[in-house]
């Protein structure tokens, strides 16, 4: 999913995603809106890549 223009439209997909699905959102406001509108914890792509490179699970 790209862009933060209408996160509300994306919430059903986020809610239906498997619990271990990685949710990546680069924008601060996108991450904040996703946290407030769903039970998901989005991460910046840099955080996800850092953990993948050092071998931590997401």
């Amino acid at each position: 999913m790209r862009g933060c223009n209408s996160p509300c439209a994306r919430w059903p997909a986020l809610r239906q995603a498997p619990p271990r699905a990685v949710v990546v959102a680069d924008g601060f406001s996108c991450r904040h809106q996703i946290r407030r509108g769903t039970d998901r914890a989005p991460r910046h792509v840099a955080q996800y890549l850092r953990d993948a490179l050092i071998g931590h699970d997401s």
Side-chain angles (χ1 to χ4, degrees):
M1 291 183 247
R2 295 194 51 86
C4 291
N5 296 336
S6 180
C8 297
R10 294 174 179 87
W11 290 349
L14 290 169
R15 289 182 182 125
Q16 293 172 3
R20 297 220 3 112
V22 174
V23 178
V24 177
D26 291 337
F28 174 82
S29 120
C30 296
R31 289 190 306 274
H32 181 73
Q33 290 175 25
I34 291 169
R35 278 189 203 103
R36 290 188 68 198
T38 71
D39 62 348
R40 306 309 295 251
R43 300 172 65 206
H44 191 281
V45 68
Q47 294 171 310
Y48 178 69
L49 291 174
R50 176 200 63 206
D51 289 349
L53 289 171
I54 61 174
H56 290 174
D57 287 338
S58 299

